[in-house]
Amino acid sequence: VVCAEREQNDVEREVHMSRILIVEDEQDLAGLLDYNLKAEGYQTEIASTGAGALARARAWNPDLLLLDLMLPDISGHEVIRLLKADPAHGRTAVVMVTAKGQEQDRVQGLELGADDYVVKPFAVKELVLRVKAVHRRLANDAQGTDLLRSGEIELDPARHEVRVKGEKV
């Protein structure tokens, strides 16, 4: 019975960890990513602007964003900053997918909270494998963590962290 419950929890976690918001203003690339991720079993949606990405993230609650940095309205840096500052979405995984490949750009993206950084041009198969790797890490983190919550206070014993309203104390 315990094994069956664990398997069911693993299946539920895999299903839950399958929502990807593609934030890309190049329609052809967005369509290519959409097609390949859906072929791997992911649920996907596309946003072509930073404002659209923030609105869609709040409404759809994706598990992961594929985020271009050079968007027509709001930069990807601003999108990730706003997303990570929102307690409801601060733990959303982000993989930056951008033509900005200088060391300074990669460092800044990772410092802002990106889980991975992929420079264009890239192999679609590699990107899909990186998405799967991020999902595995998130699933392992969720599996090993028993968060305790009371109101706006959250205690993560595995990480020795306390958060109030999503902010680390």
Side-chain angles (χ1 to χ4, degrees):
V1 173
V2 172
C3 289
E5 287 177 11
R6 283 186 185 155
E7 287 176 18
Q8 178 64 29
N9 288 340
D10 289 344
V11 168
E12 288 173 4
R13 190 172 10 269
E14 283 181 31
V15 169
H16 174 70
M17 297 301 294
S18 64
R19 298 167 75 124
I20 299 175
L21 179 59
I22 301 165
V23 185
E24 175 61 60
D25 61 331
E26 295 178 35
Q27 287 183 341
D28 291 342
L29 180 55
L32 179 67
L33 294 172
D34 183 56
Y35 174 82
N36 281 279
L37 290 166
K38 282 182 177 172
E40 292 292 325
Y42 294 102
Q43 298 174 30
T44 61
E45 293 212 5
I46 299 172
S48 59
T49 65
L54 290 169
R56 196 65 207 126
R58 289 178 181 126
W60 191 51
N61 198 28
D63 300 298
L64 185 141
L65 263 71
L66 291 179
L67 179 62
D68 187 8
L69 289 181
M70 295 183 286
L71 298 168
D73 57 350
I74 302 171
S75 77
H77 288 116
E78 185 67 8
V79 171
I80 191 172
R81 190 187 66 71
L82 292 169
L83 187 73
K84 294 294 183 177
D86 183 345
H89 301 287
R91 293 182 186 241
T92 301
V94 177
V95 175
M96 291 189 164
V97 182
T98 180
K100 295 182 115 183
Q102 297 294 322
E103 178 184 359
Q104 174 184 341
D105 298 317
R106 294 189 312 266
V107 168
Q108 183 180 16
L110 294 168
E111 284 179 340
L112 285 170
D115 296 273
D116 202 350
Y117 196 103
V118 178
V119 179
K120 295 176 186 176
F122 56 86
V124 174
K125 181 69 173 172
E126 179 185 357
L127 180 65
V128 170
L129 290 172
R130 287 176 179 265
V131 166
K132 287 181 179 182
V134 169
H135 279 266
R136 274 195 310 275
R137 284 194 304 267
L138 293 173
N140 288 340
D141 286 351
Q143 187 175 12
T145 303
D146 295 317
L147 295 178
L148 304 171
R149 291 190 179 103
S150 178
E152 296 176 338
I153 300 171
E154 182 178 274
L155 173 67
D156 186 341
R159 293 185 177 186
H160 304 283
E161 290 181 357
V162 175
R163 294 181 179 268
V164 177
K165 296 181 182 177
E167 297 292 321
K168 237 189 258 188
V169 177

